C-alpha cells in the first residue's frame, strides 16, 4: 500500500498545522521502516550480511577468499536453482549466466581425446578475477566422473598492413693468426 504524504489545504498549510503534518509524515515513514525491516531480511539482495551468511549455511554455500559481496549474494540467492540445474549442459550454462560471468562454450566428447574430458571456454577476465570460483562451480555443479579443463577465449583487435619488404644480408668473419 502506498501512502501519499499528508497535504494540507493552502490556507491551513502554516504554523502548527504544518509542523503537525510534517511530524505525521515522518512518523509514518519511521513506522513503515520498522514494519518492513523483517520482510526485507528475507530478500538476499537487501538483507544484512550476517543473515546472508545464515542463508548460505542453510543452502550449503561457502564464501571463498576475496569474493565480492555481489557475487556471494548471487550465489546464495540462486543456490536452489543452481543445484537443480547441475550436471546438465543447459543447466551449467544457466548457472554461469546467473553468476554474471559472461559467455561460456562447452565442448564434450572431442575427437581424439578421452570421452570424459569436458572443455569449458571462457573469457580470460573471469579466470583472473575469480580463480577460486571456477573450482567451486565445478565441484558443486559439475558432472561426477568428468574431467574439466579451462580454456580461454581472448579477443584482440589488430590491424594488418601489406607492404613490400626487402633485405640484404652479409656475413663477415675475422680471425687472428699467430
Amino acid at each position: 500500500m502506498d501512502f501519499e504524504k499528508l497535504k494540507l489545504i493552502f490556507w491551513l498549510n502554516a504554523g502548527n498545522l504544518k509542523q503537525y503534518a510534517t511530524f505525521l509524515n515522518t512518523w509514518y515513514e519511521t513506522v513503515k521502516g520498522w514494519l518492513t525491516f523483517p520482510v526485507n531480511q528475507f530478500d538476499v539482495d537487501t538483507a544484512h550480511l550476517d543473515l546472508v551468511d545464515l542463508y548460505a549455511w542453510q543452502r550449503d554455500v561457502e564464501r571463498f577468499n576475496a569474493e565480492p559481496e555481489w557475487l556471494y549474494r548471487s550465489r546464495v540467492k540462486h543456490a536452489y536453482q543452481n543445484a537443480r540445474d547441475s550436471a546438465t549442459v543447459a543447466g551449467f550454462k544457466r548457472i554461469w549466466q546467473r553468476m554474471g560471468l559472461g559467455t561460456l562454450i562447452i565442448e564434450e566428447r572431442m575427437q581424439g581425446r578421452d570421452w570424459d574430458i569436458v572443455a569449458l571456454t571462457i573469457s580470460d577476465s573471469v579466470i583472473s578475477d575469480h580463480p577460486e570460483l571456477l573450482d567451486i562451480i565445478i565441484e558443486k555443479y559439475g558432472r561426477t566422473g568428468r574431467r574439466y579443463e579451462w580454456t580461454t577465449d581472448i579477443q584482440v583487435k589488430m590491424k594488418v598492413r601489406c607492404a613490400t619488404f626487402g633485405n640484404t644480408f652479409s656475413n663477415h668473419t675475422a680471425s687472428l693468426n699467430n
Side-chain angles (χ1 to χ4, degrees):
M1 177 176 127
D2 289 334
F3 174 76
E4 292 185 24
K5 289 193 173 203
L6 187 61
K7 297 176 187 172
L8 298 173
I9 304 171
F10 72 92
W11 61 83
L12 296 176
N13 196 12
N16 289 339
L17 283 178
K18 182 177 182 178
Q19 290 176 345
Y20 187 63
T22 304
F23 165 75
L24 288 177
N25 289 330
T26 306
W27 178 252
Y28 173 77
E29 290 298 325
T30 303
V31 171
K32 180 181 173 185
W34 292 340
L35 295 175
T36 58
F37 176 77
V39 175
N40 289 339
Q41 299 311 307
F42 289 116
D43 184 17
V44 176
D45 292 331
T46 59
H48 192 273
L49 197 55
D50 292 337
L51 283 173
V52 175
D53 291 338
L54 288 174
Y55 290 137
W57 173 79
Q58 179 186 23
R59 298 171 186 180
D60 193 28
V61 174
E62 293 181 18
R63 188 171 189 179
F64 60 86
N65 293 337
E67 180 177 15
E69 186 176 326
W70 67 268
L71 183 59
Y72 178 59
R73 287 179 184 270
S74 175
R75 289 179 50 224
V76 172
K77 182 178 182 177
H78 300 293
Y80 293 132
Q81 295 164 330
N82 291 346
R84 187 178 59 237
D85 284 341
S86 65
T88 64
V89 174
F92 202 82
K93 287 183 179 180
R94 284 192 296 268
I95 291 169
W96 199 261
Q97 288 172 347
R98 280 187 210 113
M99 303 265 186
L101 298 175
T103 59
L104 171 70
I105 300 170
I106 301 174
E107 294 180 68
E108 293 185 306
R109 301 186 187 263
M110 296 168 283
Q111 194 71 13
R113 310 271 317 262
D114 290 340
W115 65 271
D116 62 338
I117 294 177
V118 177
L120 303 172
T121 304
I122 59 177
S123 68
D124 186 44
S125 62
V126 173
I127 290 178
S128 62
D129 292 344
H130 314 290
E132 293 180 27
L133 176 64
L134 304 177
D135 294 333
I136 290 172
I137 289 175
I138 293 300
E139 179 184 327
K140 287 221 178 258
Y141 309 120
R143 291 183 184 178
T144 306
R146 292 293 183 105
R147 294 183 287 171
Y148 289 88
E149 67 180 29
W150 302 103
T151 57
T152 60
D153 182 22
I154 302 173
Q155 297 181 3
V156 177
K157 293 180 181 178
M158 58 188 269
K159 296 179 181 178
V160 178
R161 180 176 167 204
C162 297
T164 59
F165 177 75
N167 187 21
T168 57
F169 179 80
S170 64
N171 188 11
H172 301 283
T173 306
S175 63
L176 292 174
N177 293 331
N178 290 353

